[in-house]
Amino acid sequence: MDLSDYRREYLKGGLHEDEMPADPFEQFAFWFKQATDADYPEPNAMSLATADANGRPSLRTVLLKYFDTNGFVFFTNYTSRKAKEIEQNAQVSLLFPWVTLERQVIVVGRAEKISTAESLKYFSSRPRSSQLGAWVSAQSQAIPTRKFLEMKLAEIGRKFKEGKVPLPDFWGGYRVVPEEIEFWQGGAARLHDRFQYTRESTETNDWSIQRLSP
Ligand SMILES: Cc1cc2nc3c(=O)[nH]c(=O)nc-3n(C[C@H](O)[C@H](O)[C@H](O)COP(=O)(O)O)c2cc1C
């Protein structure tokens, strides 16, 4: 299939130096709210890129669950492929592909496991079915059939029939602590606006900003 004629002009707006806040999280929150207000489907779905110790990359979608000036938090299985790669190489990248808004946000930083208490807080807020699902899935491992999963779910359901479902020790969150955050806004004639924030110090929320060529 030839897709070479698939193109459109990006005309929704621009980004201007004098409107970029000093704090990139402020800009992210502003764009996130605009994505939500525009009914962008699952604006918190982001691509997470990891790479193993040899630099071999892998990529998948995960859901951003919350963010603040400390970073972006998602939840997953600590024995999954992504988790194994993060163990070998904590450098990761996130991409928010808000393409119908003619925008993308790219984060580069380090993934850190959050505390068990913090994971428990989020786990406790999940529906019971999702809590049981976390117990059932040995994420990223080969399994024989779907039936195998359904039987495991029934077994786990019986095991935790009474009371609260406990937090599995193989499940929890990562916080991606950004070192760079780029905001991209499509522009006419492919003259897009790109602003890259680079963290000045690991101790503080101080950032330098530069415009990048599209
Ligand atoms: C919209 C969407 C949201 C997802 N959210 C998550 C998530 O928050 N956490 C997660 O572990 N997997 C999530 N997944 C599944 C992952 O993309 C992936 O299949 C899984 O985490 C295993 O990845 P890995 O084998 O590379 O570790 C999501 C997939 C989609 C399409």
Side-chain angles (χ1 to χ4, degrees):
M1 191 188 297
D2 179 6
L3 306 175
S4 55
D5 282 340
Y6 269 51
R7 71 171 65 82
R8 64 191 179 90
E9 276 288 313
Y10 298 136
L11 301 169
K12 285 194 195 291
L15 280 176
H16 304 283
E17 280 78 352
D18 45 3
E19 288 171 6
M20 300 306 289
D23 177 356
F25 292 102
E26 199 181 304
Q27 179 66 24
F28 184 81
F30 179 57
W31 271 19
F32 194 85
K33 181 167 187 318
Q34 287 190 331
T36 309
D37 291 348
D39 288 330
Y40 191 88
E42 303 215 64
N44 61 329
M46 57 189 186
S47 303
L48 163 72
T50 54
D52 67 15
N54 298 319
R56 185 163 184 257
S58 69
L59 188 63
R60 78 288 292 153
T61 310
V62 291
L63 295 178
L64 174 67
K65 285 298 162 179
Y66 48 92
F67 70 93
D68 58 24
T69 54
N70 295 313
F72 299 88
V73 177
F74 67 91
F75 289 84
T76 194
N77 183 301
Y78 284 149
T79 65
S80 63
R81 176 178 182 170
K82 71 181 90 48
K84 287 187 177 136
E85 292 186 359
I86 289 169
E87 248 167 58
Q88 296 170 37
N89 172 7
Q91 298 285 337
V92 302
S93 188
L94 303 174
L95 169 72
F96 293 85
W98 296 331
V99 288
T100 57
L101 302 172
E102 303 176 356
R103 287 176 175 170
Q104 67 180 351
V105 178
I106 300 171
V107 174
V108 179
R110 293 180 66 78
E112 298 174 353
K113 264 187 189 173
I114 63 174
S115 69
T116 306
E118 192 176 341
S119 289
L120 179 60
K121 187 167 175 224
Y122 170 68
F123 187 78
S124 307
S125 76
R126 299 182 93 203
R128 193 176 173 86
S129 57
S130 307
Q131 293 176 337
L132 294 174
W135 273 99
V136 167
S137 173
Q139 198 176 52
S140 315
Q141 288 179 30
I143 48 168
T145 56
R146 181 167 184 95
K147 183 93 189 144
F148 171 84
L149 278 183
E150 288 163 0
M151 280 165 58
K152 253 183 115 183
L153 180 62
E155 189 187 309
I156 290 290
R158 282 192 297 275
K159 185 169 176 190
F160 298 125
K161 198 160 42 121
E162 311 286 343
K164 287 186 181 163
V165 179
L167 173 71
D169 60 4
F170 55 82
W171 193 96
Y174 285 97
R175 174 172 284 105
V176 176
V177 181
E179 288 153 15
E180 274 173 25
I181 306 182
E182 181 194 325
F183 297 89
W184 185 100
Q185 174 79 59
R190 297 301 190 249
L191 296 185
H192 316 302
D193 289 313
R194 298 176 65 188
F195 284 96
Q196 187 184 60
Y197 288 74
T198 306
R199 197 188 278 273
E200 291 291 274
S201 141
T202 49
E203 316 296 298
T204 63
N205 190 31
D206 291 326
W207 299 79
S208 61
I209 311 176
Q210 55 186 347
R211 180 185 272 276
L212 301 183
S213 174

